[in-house]
Amino acid sequence: MSANHDDRHDSPDPHGRALRLGVGGPVGSGKTALVAALCRTLGPVLRLGVVTNDIYTTEDADFLRRAGVLDPERIIAVQTGCCPHTAIRDDIAANLDAVESLEERFGPLDLVIVESGGDNLTATFSRGLADHQIFVLDVSGGDKVPRKGGPGVTTADLLVINKTDLAKHVGADLTVMSRDAAAVREGRPVLFTSIREVPEVYSVAEWVHGVVESWAHAREHPHGPAVPTTNA
Amino acid sequence: MDARAAIATESAGGRTVLGTLRSDPPLTMRQTGPVTVHLVSTAAGPLGGDHLELRIDVAPGTCLEIASVASTLVLPGPGESVTVVEARVGAGATLRYAPEPTVLAAGCAHRMIVRLALEEGASVTWREEIVFGRYGERPGTCHSRFDATIGGVPLLRQEFVVGDPAVDGSPAVYGDARCVGSVLVVRPEPPGPPFADAPAAGRTDKPPTSGRLTEPVLAEGCVVLPLAGPGTLVSALAPDAAALRERLTWGEARATRS
Amino acid sequence: MNAALLLLADSRLPAGGHGHSGGAEEAVRVGAITGPGDLARFLRGRLATAGLVAAALSAAACALAARDDASAVDEPGRSYEPGRSDEPGRSYEPGRSYEPDRSYEPGRSGEPDRSGGGAEGEWRGLDAEADARAASPAQRGASRTQGRLLLRSARRIWPSPALDAPARAVPQGVHHPIALGAVSAAAGCSPHDAALATAYTSITGPATAAVRLLGLDPVVVHRVLAGLVPDLESVARTACARTAWEDLPAHAAPALDLLAEQHLRTEVRLFVS
């Protein structure tokens, strides 16, 4: 079952809060690189904020700052007490507080990205925190990962399989990954990326832009028909 | 033994005059300067069962400095020893209260109460040092309470308990320190902008020159803490009285304009 | 005891508590906590100082919220007694006892009412009492953050006018023990329950953090906690002794102040505090 697709009844806040997008996935799969890429590509067209949950330091936030893609003030780091999955799923209070504080300081915003700390395949975002979520895998974990499933892989609104440039080195078959992912995801989208080679990640940016527009449309026409997202 | 002593200043033509200087042995006081009074203990102790009270009244616009000639050695006796210091500091008045440390001898049972009521615009430096026994000595018990208000609004309330197995040696309370001390610094709203010391400043940095400290400053065993209200607390732990004094003096310099 | 106490004291209460170690992370980093022995001493000292102060503030907040709640339901038109002043000009009485001699009145504040309006002014007054007992800005910040997160969640879990007043009175967040006391009242708990829950959370957060940071055997750490049960009960009893707010316990823990400030200057932090 989808974490979010039957959650559309959650009508956008009449006061017009930003769309909240969760980005999760295992350690090292490229979450931070993806968030940086999204900021770089969407920064000129959307009003953005970022909450990062890196479990070690403010390293993720610093990475984003160095990438020069976003005003450092618009990035908040939340410490999760060694429990990144707790902070995005079981007890989302600190993350909600960070999101709302960004909206208070810089609002109105179009999009707030919440990047989880690196975790395992079972970690997903609570619907109370994220309106939509992206799960990021990379091919170096092996081409069996999509088949194994787990809530992240099966229920995320978008599955991103990153580091396709490494596939040939690690013997991962992208066709197998694509087929297995499609089978467990009941038609929800999967995008293959190599952020190292295409740092703008146009395909993912386009998908995100689509859900933000759909969100904004629903906000302006609370009783009108939902506009389908670009790729979903 | 019960004793009640009092000091009060008066303003006479813009100058400070010691209007009241009432000793009550063993609480004996000597004026040692135009606005300076030294506490001179004329008996051992306090001993268990003693009840000593000192009342300090610094009239608006006047200055007073209180020191002591030696540390206070708290000794056991029949019952609890109690010292109460009650001080009022008026608007535009300045009080520096910096006696030598209170040393808790073995077997003592001591209670220390300080009530400090400041009017807005008062300037105060208030130092307290407690030493857990003489060299190699295991102290008796002590319970101190310090309450400071400004214009009736609470500024700082803190209690120290020594000799309770729950806190002695706890890494959360005193750790392995043998002394605890603090200096409360209150200055009228300074003309300069608030200043933030370098957060990780070391001891070599120059003291600030204007404004009020807004960021805590930290060193070994000592931290300078801007309070929620208009004041700064220097808090220190140390292995011995000399190190404690050094830390508090360093912290006081960070907390004040100089 | 009200069964809602179980929910309040549960570490799964979604109010951001899991991100705080109460000084334990820094104590582990500097080597002040290395195993179950010094963890036990850390927790016992923390409970006897910060834990007792928090429990007493929480009990006072619970009493205040319960009164607000009752008045909201039963006596909508009832006016509040304005906060009592601290008698700054109180005359000196040489023979006066040094012990607090004032009887308890819920909501009697040790400071003037600066709000211009009833209950909210009293919440600010109680919050100011918490401020005066927290010298460390790092600890005040962590306490307010936790208080704000707790009220945010609790207002959805136990909607009550008693929770609206503190939230309105201090928008950046009342101190955590005050929030926990107010929430206890909203959940139907007594001031003693509130004190117990607050004392309990003052040691379970650091204990859990130590388990995660040092890889301690969780059973051994729970044995340490079990050994503190009599202390918890005695702290909760002491915290409920009826007294004016200004006379509530104010036990300082200088080492916790140092640890809290050092922690904020440490690059690698897994916990907020």
Side-chain angles (χ1 to χ4, degrees):
Chain A
M1 199 193 81
S2 162
N4 287 105
H5 278 248
D6 46 32
D7 206 27
R8 290 278 158 82
H9 64 274
D10 246 4
S11 60
D13 188 310
H15 301 297
R17 71 165 173 80
L19 176 84
R20 296 167 185 178
L21 176 69
V23 175
V27 178
S29 58
K31 294 182 298 297
T32 305
L34 178 64
V35 172
L38 288 174
C39 290
R40 199 179 298 118
T41 306
L42 294 173
V45 289
L46 296 178
R47 297 164 293 186
L48 291 173
V50 171
V51 176
T52 174
N53 283 197
D54 189 86
I55 61 164
Y56 290 107
T57 56
T58 51
E59 209 170 288
D60 278 0
D62 290 342
F63 175 83
L64 293 172
R65 286 169 190 150
R66 275 199 305 276
V69 292
L70 200 59
D71 171 7
E73 296 268 293
R74 289 175 179 250
I75 303 166
I76 294 184
V78 168
Q79 280 89 26
T80 61
C82 308
C83 291
H85 57 275
T86 303
I88 62 163
R89 187 181 59 201
D90 311 294
D91 182 355
I92 57 177
N95 272 315
L96 276 180
D97 194 58
V99 169
E100 286 175 13
S101 118
L102 279 172
E103 294 205 78
E104 259 174 48
R105 280 154 61 193
F106 302 105
L109 297 176
D110 300 308
L111 173 66
V112 178
I113 300 175
V114 182
E115 183 203 345
S116 82
D119 214 313
N120 57 43
L121 293 173
T122 67
T124 53
F125 283 81
S126 158
R127 300 174 194 201
L129 176 61
D131 304 303
H132 294 278
Q133 52 190 300
I134 297 177
F135 198 77
V136 186
L137 286 179
D138 70 286
V139 301
S140 62
D143 56 17
K144 292 189 192 65
V145 173
R147 196 181 320 148
K148 281 163 98 176
V153 170
T154 58
T155 69
D157 299 284
L158 174 66
L159 178 66
V160 170
I161 297 177
N162 187 31
K163 303 187 188 175
T164 51
D165 50 308
L166 296 182
K168 54 183 180 290
H169 303 296
V170 298
D173 186 336
L174 298 180
T175 320
V176 168
M177 293 184 91
S178 175
R179 189 193 61 216
D180 290 349
V184 297
R185 286 178 52 74
E186 300 173 358
R188 284 185 286 282
V190 181
L191 294 172
F192 287 85
T193 60
S194 169
I195 300 173
R196 205 168 60 109
E197 292 174 339
V198 187
E200 296 82 7
V201 288
Y202 293 117
S203 58
V204 182
E206 193 184 355
W207 182 87
V208 172
H209 200 195
V211 294
V212 170
E213 283 195 327
S214 167
W215 174 264
H217 179 85
R219 189 166 70 200
E220 281 150 28
H221 308 90
H223 305 296
V227 173
T229 56
T230 317
N231 300 358
Chain B
M1 194 182 299
D2 280 13
R4 294 189 191 96
I7 310 174
T9 61
E10 290 168 10
S11 178
R15 287 178 51 244
T16 300
V17 174
L18 286 181
T20 305
L21 187 62
R22 193 175 68 230
S23 294
D24 186 2
L27 280 177
T28 306
M29 295 173 294
R30 301 259 187 275
Q31 183 167 0
T32 50
V35 295
T36 307
V37 169
H38 272 76
L39 297 164
V40 186
S41 193
T42 46
L47 311 173
D50 288 356
H51 187 119
L52 312 178
E53 294 189 15
L54 172 64
R55 162 78 176 172
I56 301 164
D57 204 327
V58 190
T62 64
C63 293
L64 180 63
E65 180 165 355
I66 298 177
S68 67
V69 296
S71 55
T72 299
L73 182 64
V74 185
L75 295 165
E80 200 178 47
S81 53
V82 179
T83 59
V84 181
V85 180
E86 192 145 358
R88 288 196 293 149
V89 186
T94 300
L95 170 65
R96 178 177 174 83
Y97 179 89
E100 295 305 301
T102 297
V103 181
L104 307 173
C108 75
H110 192 47
R111 191 76 216 266
M112 292 200 291
I113 317 276
V114 174
R115 296 192 202 98
L116 178 57
L118 312 180
E119 284 177 17
E120 278 171 41
S123 183
V124 167
T125 303
W126 191 284
R127 186 176 73 203
E128 275 195 342
E129 296 169 318
I130 304 174
V131 179
F132 308 164
R134 288 166 291 193
Y135 181 77
E137 183 180 36
R138 214 183 140 82
T141 64
C142 175
H143 182 176
S144 78
R145 174 146 186 150
F146 181 90
D147 285 280
T149 58
I150 295 191
V153 176
L155 174 66
L156 177 67
R157 303 196 193 279
Q158 61 175 10
E159 293 176 73
F160 290 117
V161 173
V162 181
D164 172 358
V167 300
D168 287 349
S170 170
V173 188
Y174 308 123
D176 51 10
R178 299 273 302 155
C179 316
V180 62
S182 57
V183 182
L184 173 65
V185 176
V186 178
R187 295 288 181 271
E189 199 56 59
F195 64 86
D197 210 307
R203 287 173 179 236
T204 53
D205 292 352
K206 282 193 296 190
T209 51
S210 70
R212 175 178 287 149
L213 187 71
T214 57
E215 290 292 327
V217 189
L218 200 61
E220 171 79 31
C222 180
V223 62
V224 186
L225 302 162
L227 299 174
T232 304
L233 184 73
V234 182
S235 177
L237 292 169
D240 57 62
L244 181 69
R245 178 63 59 84
E246 191 204 333
R247 289 173 184 184
L248 290 176
T249 304
W250 175 84
E252 191 186 322
R254 317 296 313 183
T256 50
R257 301 190 290 142
S258 50
Chain C
M1 191 195 98
N2 185 306
L5 176 62
L6 301 172
L7 293 174
L8 286 174
D10 193 329
S11 67
R12 286 166 295 193
L13 182 73
H18 70 96
H20 293 262
S21 82
E25 180 174 33
E26 189 63 17
V28 166
R29 193 186 70 82
V30 302
I33 300 178
T34 56
D38 34 33
L39 175 63
R41 284 188 290 279
F42 180 91
L43 297 177
R44 201 167 170 221
R46 191 175 204 284
L47 178 59
T49 54
L52 171 62
V53 174
L57 289 165
S58 180
C62 183
L64 176 59
R67 195 208 59 186
D68 273 6
D69 208 24
S71 70
V73 174
D74 302 324
E75 304 169 70
R78 174 181 153 183
S79 64
Y80 296 102
E81 300 160 44
R84 195 182 61 110
S85 91
D86 192 34
E87 304 168 15
R90 172 172 84 193
S91 64
Y92 181 55
E93 299 161 33
R96 182 167 167 260
S97 159
Y98 65 88
E99 288 293 346
D101 56 4
R102 304 167 203 95
S103 62
Y104 178 80
E105 292 168 33
R108 200 179 70 167
S109 165
E111 67 162 294
D113 183 347
R114 288 170 295 176
S115 70
E120 285 180 35
E122 289 180 301
W123 284 108
R124 276 191 284 274
L126 187 54
D127 195 62
E129 289 292 346
D131 258 348
R133 287 164 174 79
S136 146
Q139 296 206 66
R140 288 197 299 274
S143 171
R144 287 201 184 282
T145 299
Q146 289 189 86
R148 184 174 70 241
L149 300 194
L150 174 58
L151 270 191
R152 172 216 299 281
S153 298
R155 289 174 79 188
R156 292 173 62 198
I157 302 170
W158 294 282
S160 159
L163 296 183
D164 299 338
R168 270 197 313 267
V170 187
Q172 74 272 35
V174 290
H175 281 284
H176 181 246
I178 294 175
L180 193 44
V183 172
S184 303
C189 292
S190 68
H192 182 266
D193 292 341
L196 202 51
T198 305
Y200 174 78
T201 54
S202 81
I203 53 170
T204 50
T208 307
V211 168
R212 293 184 198 155
L213 292 166
L214 289 168
L216 300 179
D217 180 345
V219 174
V220 171
V221 171
H222 255 71
R223 195 168 66 207
V224 167
L225 290 172
L228 288 169
V229 164
D231 298 62
L232 280 171
E233 287 179 342
S234 119
V235 160
R237 259 196 314 276
T238 309
C240 287
R242 307 202 140 210
T243 180
W245 290 349
E246 62 201 71
D247 299 320
L248 290 174
H251 293 68
L256 284 180
D257 290 348
L258 277 162
L259 290 169
E261 296 299 336
Q262 247 167 263
H263 185 250
L264 281 192
R265 288 157 181 74
T266 300
E267 172 56 25
V268 179
R269 284 188 292 139
L270 305 176
F271 289 82
V272 185
S273 71

